[in-house]
Amino acid sequence: MTASEPSPPSPTKKCFPSPTLRLEIRDLSHPGAPKFLTSIDASAVLSSAVSNVQRLLYHTPSDPHTNVPPTRSVTVILRSLDGVAYTTGTELDPDHKEIHFSLDYINNINPSRLAAEITGVLTHELVHCYQWDAKGTCPGGLIEGIADWVRLGCDLSPPHWKHETEGDWDRGYQHTAYFLEYLEGRFGEGTVRRINEKLRLHKYEVKPFWTELLGRPVEQLYGDYVAAAAAGPKGPGHGGGKMVDEGTQT
């Protein structure tokens, strides 16, 4: 190439589509409102959280097997309500999402954890804007577990979360998230992505869902997780030497 010849264009890196992000505060006089506004840069936190959700749930935009829901906008609505937060589609259409976040909850967060907790809750709720739900048949515990698994993957777990193995695998939230973390460690990176993709393709039937995906019933997998958790940090899937179950990789 001579000095007079133009340089070839650089390849353009494909990115996941970015939704329009909006913030609506229903009551600026509520004491939770200034706590939210002074604790985080809402634009930066939401943009980063969307990118993290897309990165953890999907492979890459250039992968023909990547199928991201067509979420066009997300509006975070801060208002007084019971509980913490919930996500819903708008009246316009389901591709436009609303995250309703409790100002009462924000007001009661420990000041030392305000930024981390707000970011964690928003990340969890944004997962609901981007995950598949088996055509409406996915158990709520798995839906919420995937959302908290993403929160775990972003190092946003609050200090009260623990590896509690009592009860069923689909108790939801952090309980199921830690089980999914175990599966990701055992069967390899991308296992939860495969779970999410299968939830896009099929209605949820518990036995075929897990045996087709991971080669054994979920009850057996959860039993293995409970045993691994009892064995401590050196158990499989808990960071004491990665164990990938090669027999069920697809």
Side-chain angles (χ1 to χ4, degrees):
M1 179 184 297
T2 66
S4 60
E5 292 177 328
S7 300
S10 300
T12 302
K13 183 180 178 182
K14 284 191 175 182
C15 298
F16 290 108
S18 297
T20 300
L21 299 171
R22 303 184 179 95
L23 176 64
E24 177 182 333
I25 303 175
R26 295 277 175 90
D27 183 2
L28 279 170
S29 67
H30 193 291
K35 289 183 178 181
F36 180 95
L37 292 171
T38 58
S39 296
I40 66 165
D41 178 336
S43 175
V45 165
L46 286 168
S47 296
S48 177
V50 167
S51 296
N52 285 332
V53 169
Q54 294 171 333
R55 170 179 59 85
L56 289 167
L57 286 185
Y58 300 96
H59 183 220
T60 171
S62 60
D63 185 342
H65 302 293
T66 293
N67 297 280
V68 182
T71 300
R72 296 168 58 191
S73 73
V74 179
T75 302
V76 176
I77 299 173
L78 305 181
R79 65 185 182 88
S80 182
L81 65 116
D82 294 333
V84 180
Y86 69 89
T87 298
T88 184
T90 68
E91 294 181 358
L92 181 62
D93 68 54
D95 294 343
H96 296 272
K97 306 293 186 182
E98 290 181 351
I99 295 173
H100 292 249
F101 196 173
S102 171
L103 283 170
D104 308 291
Y105 180 80
I106 293 168
N107 188 47
N108 288 315
I109 298 171
N110 186 309
S112 67
R113 283 204 34 83
L114 260 171
E117 181 63 9
I118 289 171
T119 303
V121 170
L122 289 173
T123 299
H124 174 107
E125 295 302 325
L126 281 164
V127 175
H128 296 326
C129 299
Y130 281 97
Q131 68 187 146
W132 297 103
D133 66 354
K135 307 180 189 299
T137 66
C138 183
L142 182 53
I143 290 285
E144 299 296 345
I146 291 172
D148 268 356
W149 174 81
V150 170
R151 184 171 175 174
L152 268 178
C154 295
D155 294 322
L156 291 169
S157 56
H160 68 271
W161 282 14
K162 296 177 182 177
H163 285 85
E164 297 174 339
T165 55
E166 298 83 5
D168 295 332
W169 72 270
D170 59 352
R171 289 169 65 194
Y173 298 99
Q174 73 267 25
H175 311 291
T176 301
Y178 282 119
F179 173 50
L180 294 172
E181 181 185 53
Y182 162 78
L183 295 179
E184 186 86 358
R186 176 174 174 178
F187 294 99
E189 182 181 355
T191 297
V192 177
R193 286 182 191 145
R194 291 165 56 210
I195 290 172
N196 183 55
E197 175 63 9
K198 196 168 181 66
L199 291 171
R200 179 184 73 87
L201 294 169
H202 307 287
K203 289 188 175 182
Y204 183 86
E205 295 180 60
V206 61
K207 186 173 182 179
F209 184 89
W210 294 99
T211 54
E212 289 171 7
L213 193 67
L214 299 178
R216 60 212 73 188
V218 68
E219 295 83 5
Q220 181 181 340
L221 293 166
Y222 190 67
D224 294 344
Y225 162 67
V226 171
K234 295 298 182 182
H238 286 281
K242 187 174 181 181
M243 186 188 88
V244 176
D245 195 327
E246 299 288 353
T248 56
Q249 292 292 292
T250 58

